[in-house]
């Protein structure tokens, strides 16, 4: 009897450590997934006239459109940032930099997410001059030039904030640096879906942000497996 | 003997009169100010602000005084603590001396007069007072002023190198090939409040808004003008290159007597086939 | 609440001061014109308090603006920088209530007849009134060419030109050379046109107008605006200033005739074709870097001529003046400006030559006059003024002025004849302070005491009762006003 019990215990321990070793998901950690869609009529996105910068104009034929609302088939929304806004414990700041590119007089990506104090590297891939002009309210505002061939700019943002960024030389260039406190966030892709992995079990407030249509919030409970949270924005044509 | 009705009514009217004189509203503590070898205190600056500044800059220091709607360019909003004319790098607060110098010099071609007729103590007290409109002054220190190396001699080679730089960095995109503020991007420029703003017109200008010396010009593009489209070029220019650019920029100013311009006009007489600025730009 | 006992008169006085906040009042018949110009405020978007301690009195910032030729020197001074609808015009007038009272006046024992003789009495008058009106046009004609035109009326709307001039500013780019041509106020140690006390009794500086009893110098005093040319210069912050003027000996009169003064009531007396000269120099310095404000010291002098007889036709019609004799006024100033306190002291010494002091002794053409019993006259005077600036919108003032004769024109005349002492207290409150218009509620009380009669305007004009021996006229005035300008 004692030997059976002992064997069971050892098996349990071994199984437990095996699970840890293989990195299998510990019990009580899940994924949050969902889709961002809209009802109503969003504003029309207009083609961008880049004739002031002939090099960039030549690269985009047909011209790219403004990106205030990036609507996809099935009334889905791209570049919606979904993140845990409450209930999350702080995590260590990642040291891997995130990258922002200026290419063909466009910001890639249009919306870039990062955590507070995470390194950000801003590259220019164009043979024309740009200036990087982020316009935060909480963080420090600065304005730096990036002429052709300039090295990347290394910066950090120390406060969570949604920071619009623009280029003054090319007035159509608009983007966002989304600086978050949490390490649990995702951005919707072309199909409007997002996924936030490795979320510890618990109750959270989830916020979705779209640059033109504002924010939506809902509660979500994660208990292993997949928690679903869809966001439906209400669009107005202006 | 109780106060007579007359006196009571009189005092009430007096109180009404005094209450109509609303003092300024500051949100942050007085951190003091140090400039021109003096120490300024916000309490002393408050009365001076009310006499001289409130009409444009507003009781809350937000640039919304009752004259502001009729003025262009708009008065500075002190609540954002974002200042254009600094000796410190972009993204950092100016020094007290920077603010003192702006008050003393005034801002040419705007409604901000030169306040030199005020005593130095009054001016440094005003610096202390305007800092109380933003809490940033309590949480941050001003930046370290950039080092400005001594100016090298003005030679035609320096001017020509500066001209190359002006072309390569594409300053002409906003300032125009002749520095007339008519570059292709000039008309769409907006300041931080979304109001239209024009780039500096070297051709018509005599002074700059932040001074008139070569050192002042050096500082402009090496610190950038925060709150405007003008960025900082400190990461893109070595100090010698920056001085070359200063020497070139002076050739764009026919109303300012400079050695640069004299050298340039001499050079142009014997070199008729100078490549125009902006000719090599990708896609032009 | 227990309050200390107050006698009835004090109670009424105290009630009177704040009561003027809602009181509409009226002003004296012979107002002191004064200069403040909302048109400048409108042009530059600055509130009145930027240039004025309390309008119209200037701060140092306002003084620099004025010295620059009404220019801020920020490339927005030329009229072309303004919308064409901007017009450099302002008006100012002061509705008021005032009460004047003078003692030792001669009045009939029985009203309506001299049969019962005359007696000594106090004459009092009170009521609502108007001041004169100033219409002021001033500004720039072009970059560095400024101008001013000031038609000014008395309270009956009879107009004259108080000033009218063109000024060439910053000649050859130097602020040390500015040339003014026309009619203007001399660069006095303390400007009277920009003082803010307003009553006819205590609202002006007696030393700037004083002519002793029996003196018939038709010059009206350095406080009168003069016609001529003026060269001025100043340092960047106007701490160093100089002015040199050459003016016609006309006391600012037009049509080549003397202006009206208390002595020259003819108003069209031809002049002697001479020039008078005025000079003023002042230097200011910060006290302790300006935390105790700044002090100014200066000196000034006016050397002039007036005719003592005239070339005539037909025996009586005057053609032009002859026998020009000199006079001078000279003195020094000391001023101290701090944030809350302003102190001003001005000293004046006046001298009129023998023939001017006693024109009857010299009005004999080429015949050498008999001057037995007559002499030149001289006097010393000055004022000390203290202002307390409660805020840019409320200022209090106290002033004491005195004049003491040093030498009478008539040998043997009592030494104190024409001496005067003047006390003025005033409060000026602006309910609002911005850049479009101005309104001030003012209370002013003054008391002037003079020995016998002085040839002044204002409250005097009657002979002192019993002129055989010097007698003192005491005149007091209470003045409550709403002074406004647009």
């Amino acid at each position: 009897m004692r030997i059976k019990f002992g064997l069971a215990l050892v098996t349990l321990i071994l199984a437990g450590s095996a699970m840890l070793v293989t990195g299998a998901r510990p019990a009580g950690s899940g994924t949050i997934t969902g889709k961002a869609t809209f009802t109503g009529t969003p504003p029309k996105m207009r083609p961008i006239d880049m004739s002031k910068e002939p090099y960039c104009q030549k690269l985009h034929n047909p011209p790219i459109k403004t990106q205030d609302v990036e609507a996809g088939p099935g009334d889905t929304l791209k570049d919606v940032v979904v993140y845990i806004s409450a209930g999350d414990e702080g995590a260590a700041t990642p040291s891997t930099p995130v990258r922002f590119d200026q290419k063909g007089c466009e910001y890639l990506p249009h919306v870039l997410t990062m955590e507070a104090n995470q390194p950000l590297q801003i590259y220019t891939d164009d043979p024309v001059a740009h200036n990087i002009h982020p316009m935060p309210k909480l963080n420090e505002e600065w304005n730096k030039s990036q002429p052709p061939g300039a090295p990347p700019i290394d910066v950090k943002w120390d406060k969570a904030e949604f920071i619009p960024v623009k280029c003054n030389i090319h007035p159509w260039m608009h983007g966002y640096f989304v600086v978050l406190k949490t390490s649990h966030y995702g951005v919707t892709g072309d199909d409007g879906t997002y996924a936030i992995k490795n979320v510890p079990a618990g109750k959270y407030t989830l916020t979705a942000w779209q640059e033109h249509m504002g924010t939506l919030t809902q509660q979500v409970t994660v208990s292993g497996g997949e928690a679903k949270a869809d966001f439906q924005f209400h669009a107005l044509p202006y | 003997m109780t106060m007579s009705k007359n006196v009571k009514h009189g005092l009430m009217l007096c109180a009404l009169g005094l209450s109509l004189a609303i003092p300024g509203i500051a949100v942050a503590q007085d951190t003091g100010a140090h400039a021109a070898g003096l120490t300024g205190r916000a309490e002393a600056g408050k009365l001076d602000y009310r006499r001289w500044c409130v009409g444009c800059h507003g009781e809350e220091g937000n640039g919304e005084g009752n004259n502001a709607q009729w003025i262009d360019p708009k008065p500075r909003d002190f609540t954002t603590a974002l200042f254009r004319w600094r000796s410190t790098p972009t993204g950092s607060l100016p020094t007290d001396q920077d603010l003192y110098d702006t008050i003393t010099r005034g801002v040419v071609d705007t409604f901000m007069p030169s306040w030199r007729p005020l005593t130095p103590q009054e001016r440094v007290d005003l610096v202390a007072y305007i800092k109380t409109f933003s809490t940033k002054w309590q949480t941050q220190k001003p930046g370290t002023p950039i080092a400005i190396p001594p100016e090298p001699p003005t030679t035609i080679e320096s001017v020509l190198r500066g001209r190359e730089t002006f072309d390569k960095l594409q300053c002409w995109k906003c300032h125009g090939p002749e520095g007339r503020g008519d570059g292709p991007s000039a008309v769409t420029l907006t300041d931080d409040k979304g109001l239209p703003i024009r780039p500096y017109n070297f051709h018509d200008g005599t002074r700059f808004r932040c001074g008139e010396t070569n050192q002042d010009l050096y500082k402009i593009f090496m610190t950038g003008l925060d709150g405007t489209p003008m960025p900082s070029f400190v990461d893109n220019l070595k100090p010698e290159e920056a001085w070359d650019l200063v020497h070139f920029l002076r050739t764009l100013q026919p109303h300012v007597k400079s050695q640069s311009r004299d050298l340039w006009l001499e050079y142009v007489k014997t070199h008729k086939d100078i490549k125009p600025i902006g000719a090599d730009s990708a896609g032009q | 609440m227990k309050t200390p006992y107050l006698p009835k008169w004090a109670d009424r006085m105290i009630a009177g001061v704040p009561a003027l906040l809602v009181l509409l009042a009226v002003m004296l018949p012979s107002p002191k014109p004064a200069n403040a110009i909302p048109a400048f405020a409108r042009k530059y978007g600055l509130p009145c308090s930027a240039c004025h301690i309390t309008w119209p009195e200037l701060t140092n910032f306002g003084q620099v603006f004025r010295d620059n030729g009404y220019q801020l020197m920020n490339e927005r001074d030329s009229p072309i920088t303004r919308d064409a609808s901007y017009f450099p015009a302002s008006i100012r007038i002061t509705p008021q209530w005032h009460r004047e009272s003078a003692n030792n006046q001669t009045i009939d024992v029985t009203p309506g007849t001299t049969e019962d003789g005359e007696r000594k009495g106090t004459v009092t008058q009170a009521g609502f009134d108007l001041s004169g009106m100033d219409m002021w046009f001033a500004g720039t004609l072009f970059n560095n060419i400024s101008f001013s035109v000031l038609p000014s009326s008395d309270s009956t709307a009879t107009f004259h030109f108080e000033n009218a001039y063109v000024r060439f500013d910053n000649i050859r780019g130097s602020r040390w050379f500015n040339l003014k041509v026309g009619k203007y106020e001399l660069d006095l140690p303390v400007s009277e046109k920009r003082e803010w006390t307003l009553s006819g009794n205590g609202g002006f500086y007696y030393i700037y107008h004083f002519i002793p009893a029996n003196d018939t110098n038709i010059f009206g005093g350095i406080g009168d605006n003069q016609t001529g040319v003026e060269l001025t210069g100043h340092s960047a912050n106007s701490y160093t200033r100089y002015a040199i003027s050459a003016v016609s000996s006309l006391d600012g009169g037009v049509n080549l005739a003397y202006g009206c003064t208390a002595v020259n009531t003819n108003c069209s007396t031809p002049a002697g074709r001479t020039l008078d000269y005025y000079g003023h120099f002042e230097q200011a310095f910060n006290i302790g870097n300006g935390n105790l404000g700044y002090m100014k010291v200066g000196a000034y002098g006016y050397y002039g001529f007036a005719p003592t007889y005239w070339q005539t036709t037909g025996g009586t019609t005057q053609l032009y003046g002859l026998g020009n004799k000199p006079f001078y006024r000279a003195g020094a100033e000391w001023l101290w400006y701090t944030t809350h306190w302003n102190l001003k002291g001005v000293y004046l010494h006046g001298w009129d030559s023998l023939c001017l002091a006693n024109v009857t002794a010299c009005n004999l053409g080429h015949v050498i006059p008999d001057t037995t019993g007559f002499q030149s006259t001289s006097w010393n005077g000055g004022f000390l003024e203290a202002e307390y600036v409660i805020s840019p919108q409320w200022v209090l003032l106290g002033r004491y002025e005195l004049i003491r004769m040093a030498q009478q024109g008539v040998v043997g005349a009592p030494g104190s004849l024409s001496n005067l002492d003047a006390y003025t207290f005033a409060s000026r409150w602006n309910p609002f302070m911005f850049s479009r218009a101005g309104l001030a509620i003012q209370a002013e009380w003054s008391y002037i005491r003079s020995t016998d009669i002085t040839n002044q305007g204002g409250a005097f004009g009657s002979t002192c009762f019993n002129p055989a021996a010097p007698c003192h006229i005491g005149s007091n005035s209470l003045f409550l006003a709403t002074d406004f300008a647009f």
Side-chain angles (χ1 to χ4, degrees):
Chain A
M1 185 66 171
R2 228 182 262 143
I3 295 167
K4 263 195 207 156
F5 177 70
L7 263 172
L9 191 58
V10 169
T11 316
L12 207 56
I13 292 168
L14 280 171
S17 12
M19 274 172 67
L20 283 167
V21 166
T22 59
R25 226 182 294 137
S29 155
T31 308
I32 309 176
T33 60
K35 203 182 232 190
T37 56
F38 64 88
T39 59
T41 317
K44 247 176 125 59
M45 293 297 106
R46 307 203 173 277
I48 296 175
D49 173 9
M50 291 196 192
S51 52
K52 289 265 169 82
E53 192 61 84
Y55 167 80
C56 292
Q57 187 184 42
K58 288 200 192 89
L59 290 177
H60 301 288
N61 199 0
I64 56 171
K65 293 209 170 142
T66 52
Q67 294 170 292
D68 299 42
V69 177
E70 295 166 282
D75 291 347
T76 53
L77 288 167
K78 184 185 175 187
D79 277 338
V80 173
V81 177
V82 184
Y83 63 101
I84 292 178
S85 47
D88 201 4
E89 278 164 24
T93 306
S95 55
T96 40
V98 290
R99 179 172 167 144
F100 195 66
D101 276 86
Q102 296 156 100
K103 198 177 165 70
C105 299
E106 228 190 317
Y107 285 139
L108 301 170
H110 174 61
V111 171
L112 180 63
T113 46
M114 67 199 84
E115 288 177 57
N117 287 311
Q118 183 170 8
L120 162 64
Q121 284 179 329
I122 303 170
Y123 285 78
T124 174
D125 314 309
D126 284 338
V128 297
H130 290 295
N131 70 304
I132 284 281
H133 192 175
M135 296 171 55
K137 294 265 181 296
L138 303 173
N139 288 284
E140 285 321 293
E141 172 171 340
W142 48 262
N143 184 354
K144 289 192 177 183
S145 153
Q146 270 191 311
I153 292 174
D154 290 305
V155 289
K156 281 191 184 137
W157 301 106
D158 57 0
K159 298 184 191 70
E161 191 178 355
F162 288 82
I163 306 175
V165 58
K166 70 176 183 179
C167 172
N168 293 103
I169 304 175
H170 306 109
W172 59 82
M173 288 174 74
H174 287 293
Y176 275 87
F177 295 139
V178 176
V179 185
L180 298 166
K181 273 199 289 267
T182 174
S183 57
H184 298 115
Y185 55 85
V187 186
T188 60
D190 289 320
D191 59 358
T193 60
Y194 71 93
I196 308 176
K197 298 194 173 65
N198 295 331
V199 183
K203 277 199 168 61
Y204 301 101
T205 307
L206 204 61
T207 300
W209 169 89
Q210 201 283 333
E211 71 180 77
H212 184 78
M213 295 189 265
T215 57
L216 292 173
T217 312
Q218 60 180 278
Q219 300 300 314
V220 68
T221 308
V222 178
S223 52
E226 215 170 272
K228 266 207 115 357
D230 288 336
F231 291 91
Q232 189 172 72
F233 287 87
H234 180 64
L236 290 168
Y238 43 82
Chain B
M1 178 168 187
T2 52
M3 209 183 285
S4 82
K5 211 159 76 153
N6 276 345
V7 179
K8 244 191 249 175
H9 283 160
L11 287 171
M12 271 164 51
L13 287 166
C14 251
L16 172 68
L18 281 171
S19 72
L20 290 174
I22 305 164
I25 303 161
V27 298
Q29 286 170 20
D30 179 9
T31 50
H34 302 279
L38 301 170
T39 302
R41 295 250 71 93
E43 197 51 47
K46 191 164 163 183
L47 203 64
D48 295 334
Y49 185 88
R50 187 172 152 203
R51 175 178 284 284
W52 285 299
C53 320
V54 73
C56 291
H57 289 282
E59 280 165 19
E60 289 158 43
N62 56 9
E64 288 178 30
N66 52 32
N67 283 318
Q69 57 186 312
W70 311 107
I71 290 177
D72 182 54
K74 298 293 174 203
R76 184 69 63 242
D77 178 353
F78 300 124
T79 62
T80 61
L82 203 63
F83 293 94
R84 293 187 191 181
W85 306 298
R86 312 171 318 282
S87 56
T88 59
T90 180
S92 62
L93 291 170
T95 60
D96 292 347
Q97 187 68 43
D98 290 334
L99 297 174
Y100 178 89
D101 288 341
T102 299
I103 294 174
T104 302
R105 184 200 324 118
V107 184
V108 72
D109 199 27
T110 71
F111 283 83
M112 172 72 173
S114 160
W115 295 104
R116 199 182 309 268
L118 274 55
T119 63
Q121 186 64 47
E122 284 170 326
R123 285 177 256 153
V124 72
D125 287 335
L126 281 169
V127 172
Y129 185 66
I130 65 175
K131 283 161 64 175
T132 61
F133 287 120
S134 167
T135 51
K136 277 196 190 161
W137 295 95
Q138 290 172 264
T139 54
Q140 284 172 43
K141 292 228 137 341
T144 310
I146 63 163
I148 305 177
E151 181 178 356
T154 308
T155 61
I156 188 62
E157 290 80 19
S158 174
V159 168
L160 290 170
R161 283 194 299 267
R163 189 170 188 273
E164 269 287 320
T165 303
F166 187 82
D167 198 355
K168 206 171 49 141
L169 294 182
Q170 302 198 327
C171 310
W172 51 271
K173 278 279 165 71
C174 294
H175 287 284
E178 286 172 27
R180 290 175 187 257
D182 59 352
S185 299
V187 291
T188 48
L189 295 177
T190 53
D191 66 9
D192 270 27
K193 302 259 178 183
L195 297 165
I197 186 173
R198 297 303 296 254
Y200 185 70
N201 181 340
F202 288 91
H203 188 269
D204 291 353
T206 51
R207 295 175 265 168
F208 312 113
R209 290 199 181 161
C210 58
E212 44 194 323
T213 66
N214 284 356
Q215 280 71 23
D216 294 325
L217 182 49
Y218 183 103
K219 259 195 287 188
I220 294 172
F221 56 80
M222 293 300 258
T223 62
L225 302 180
D226 286 354
T228 75
M230 176 66 186
S232 163
F233 287 81
V234 70
D235 297 334
N236 316 118
L237 286 172
K238 295 206 245 330
E240 320 84 67
E241 293 171 327
W243 277 120
D244 291 337
L245 183 58
V246 168
H247 291 153
F248 168 69
L249 290 171
R250 286 300 193 189
T251 69
L252 301 174
Q253 296 187 286
H255 300 296
V256 177
K257 193 111 186 52
S258 69
Q259 203 185 351
S260 291
R261 187 158 166 88
D262 292 339
L263 288 168
W264 172 251
L265 291 173
E266 229 7 83
Y267 181 82
V268 160
K269 280 193 202 137
T270 51
H271 296 80
K272 300 282 185 206
D273 56 349
I274 304 166
K275 194 174 57 163
I277 286 174
D280 266 357
S281 168
Q284 296 296 92
Chain C
M1 182 171 90
K2 201 158 160 44
T3 51
Y5 172 77
L6 286 170
K8 234 187 194 149
W9 64 266
D11 203 337
R12 277 203 215 107
M13 275 264 279
I14 292 169
V17 168
L20 63 81
L21 291 174
V22 289
L23 186 68
L24 277 180
V26 174
M27 168 92 167
L28 255 181
S30 45
K32 187 186 70 64
N35 302 344
I37 183 150
F40 292 145
R42 284 194 288 280
K43 181 177 180 185
Y44 292 104
L46 290 167
C48 303
S49 59
C51 293
H52 298 280
I53 294 170
T54 180
W55 62 272
E57 189 183 354
L58 294 177
T59 60
N60 193 50
F61 179 76
Q63 184 65 58
V64 173
F65 175 71
R66 183 168 189 273
D67 287 344
N68 283 334
Y70 304 129
Q71 303 185 101
L72 281 184
M73 312 307 282
N74 62 350
E75 323 259 304
R76 291 195 168 195
D77 297 310
S78 171
I80 206 73
T81 61
R82 291 284 168 268
D83 191 278
S85 62
Y86 168 75
F87 199 77
S90 300
I91 57 152
R92 178 189 179 180
I93 194 167
T94 311
Q96 64 198 245
W97 176 93
H98 64 120
R99 177 186 179 279
E100 312 294 330
S101 176
N103 66 8
N104 283 339
Q105 302 299 295
T106 306
I107 56 182
D108 294 336
V109 171
T110 304
T113 173
T114 51
E115 281 175 5
D116 298 332
E118 296 173 323
R119 65 174 175 84
K120 182 166 66 171
T122 300
V123 176
T124 303
Q125 285 180 307
F128 288 95
D129 204 352
L130 289 178
S131 70
M133 182 182 79
D134 286 346
M135 281 197 308
W136 199 13
F137 309 87
T140 50
L141 296 173
F142 191 71
N143 248 335
N144 285 327
I145 302 183
S146 51
F147 78 98
S148 171
V149 180
L150 211 176
S152 177
S153 80
D154 61 16
S155 46
T156 68
T158 304
F159 277 88
H160 68 284
F161 289 112
E162 183 182 308
N163 73 41
Y165 64 79
V166 163
R167 186 176 185 265
F168 301 93
D169 315 305
N170 303 308
I171 296 170
R172 295 293 207 112
S174 168
R175 66 176 69 88
W176 292 103
F177 296 103
N178 303 275
L179 188 70
K180 188 185 278 187
V181 180
K183 181 171 179 179
Y184 52 86
E185 184 192 19
L186 295 169
D187 191 53
L188 299 171
V190 174
S191 163
E192 188 178 62
K193 297 296 186 293
R194 284 184 297 281
E195 239 305 330
W196 56 268
T197 47
L198 295 170
S199 64
N201 196 41
F204 58 99
Y205 298 120
Y206 282 90
I207 54 170
Y208 288 168
H209 303 278
F210 180 77
I211 303 285
N214 300 320
D215 186 324
T216 46
N217 181 356
I218 54 176
F219 178 64
I222 58 177
D224 285 353
N225 285 9
Q226 307 291 326
T227 39
V229 294
E230 178 186 79
L231 184 68
T232 51
H234 66 108
S235 61
N237 60 358
S238 286
Y239 271 21
T240 308
R241 300 179 65 253
Y242 82 88
I244 304 170
S245 249
V247 299
S248 284
S249 309
L250 289 168
D251 198 38
V254 293
N255 295 325
L256 303 179
Y258 261 88
C260 308
T261 65
V263 174
N264 181 39
T265 51
N266 179 9
C267 300
S268 53
T269 307
R273 302 176 297 183
T274 48
L275 285 177
D276 296 350
Y277 304 96
Y278 176 79
H280 177 221
F281 177 81
E282 58 184 16
Q283 177 65 52
F285 40 91
N286 288 327
I287 309 292
N289 282 309
N291 50 346
L292 286 171
Y294 65 97
M295 261 191 215
K296 242 194 231 197
V297 292
Y300 66 96
Y302 187 103
Y303 191 74
F305 300 90
T308 51
Y309 68 99
W310 280 261
Q311 177 61 60
T312 53
T313 177
T316 49
T317 309
Q318 295 171 324
L319 295 173
Y320 51 84
L322 293 169
N324 294 294
K325 296 293 181 191
F327 62 91
Y328 70 77
R329 311 279 183 267
E333 78 204 65
W334 171 84
L335 309 154
W336 188 9
Y337 293 92
T338 67
T339 307
H340 284 291
W341 282 100
N342 300 321
L343 296 173
K344 299 174 209 167
V346 176
Y347 162 71
L348 181 140
H349 177 78
W351 175 82
D352 279 354
S353 65
L354 165 68
C355 290
L356 294 176
N358 300 281
V359 71
T360 48
C362 295
N363 190 16
L364 296 172
H366 60 282
V367 175
I368 296 166
D370 175 10
T371 58
T372 318
F374 297 112
Q375 52 192 3
S376 62
T377 177
S378 64
W379 60 93
N380 296 299
F383 64 84
L384 194 63
E385 183 178 295
E387 274 181 323
Y388 181 62
V389 180
I390 298 171
S391 77
Q393 286 175 236
W394 194 3
V395 184
L396 305 175
L397 177 146
R399 181 193 308 136
Y400 171 58
E401 188 171 0
L402 77 159
I403 297 177
R404 294 290 179 267
M405 293 300 295
Q407 181 164 288
Q408 299 285 341
V410 174
V411 173
S416 64
L417 184 64
S418 298
N419 283 358
L420 82 77
D421 295 87
Y423 304 84
T424 306
F425 300 94
S427 161
R428 186 175 176 85
W429 178 65
N430 295 271
F432 57 82
M433 185 58 64
F434 73 170
S435 71
R436 295 303 173 105
L439 170 66
I441 314 286
Q442 184 148 327
E444 199 172 309
W445 180 84
S446 52
Y447 173 70
I448 319 297
R449 186 172 181 272
S450 173
T451 308
D452 205 358
I453 182 178
T454 62
N455 295 333
Q456 310 305 317
F460 296 99
S462 327
T463 318
C464 192
F465 186 75
N466 190 13
C471 85
H472 303 289
I473 304 177
S475 158
N476 74 68
S477 151
L478 177 64
F479 169 85
L480 306 170
T482 50
D483 182 18
F484 67 90
F486 189 88

